[in-house]
Amino acid sequence: MRQVLADFSVSISELKKNPSALLSQASGSPIAVLNHNKPAAYLIPAETYEALMDMLEDYELAQLVEERRGDKDQAITVSLDDL
């Protein structure tokens, strides 16, 4: 069985009945949407999603920096005046 990674959960049928009440009840916390008692989706606030996307972008950029550090021996020395 898959782990539910949220403090709040709701079935799809419950979500269809009254989505706004469920969202306000969770107070910004993630909500696991269950289908046959298994997580089918997670609802998260827009602000949380945006923060996750920013963190993912930062992580990808950090990976790129580390990759490029490995190519340091191919770097060309340039003075600031030349730029």
Side-chain angles (χ1 to χ4, degrees):
M1 181 171 223
R2 292 175 51 191
Q3 182 180 10
V4 176
L5 302 173
D7 292 334
F8 297 94
S9 63
V10 62
S11 69
I12 291 177
S13 55
E14 288 178 89
L15 180 62
K16 288 179 184 178
K17 289 178 187 174
N18 198 355
S20 60
L22 293 169
L23 293 172
S24 64
Q25 210 173 16
S27 303
S29 296
I31 302 171
V33 180
L34 306 177
N35 187 20
H36 301 290
N37 292 325
K38 294 180 182 175
Y42 289 94
L43 295 176
I44 58 172
E47 297 83 20
T48 304
Y49 180 78
E50 291 165 3
L52 285 171
M53 292 298 102
D54 287 343
M55 289 172 55
L56 181 59
E57 183 180 2
D58 291 346
Y59 175 78
E60 290 171 344
L61 287 173
Q63 294 298 317
L64 182 60
V65 166
E66 288 303 315
E67 180 183 310
R68 290 185 178 174
R69 277 188 181 177
D71 298 335
K72 195 174 179 181
D73 58 334
Q74 297 174 3
I76 300 169
T77 304
V78 179
S79 71
L80 288 176
D81 293 332
D82 293 340
L83 296 176

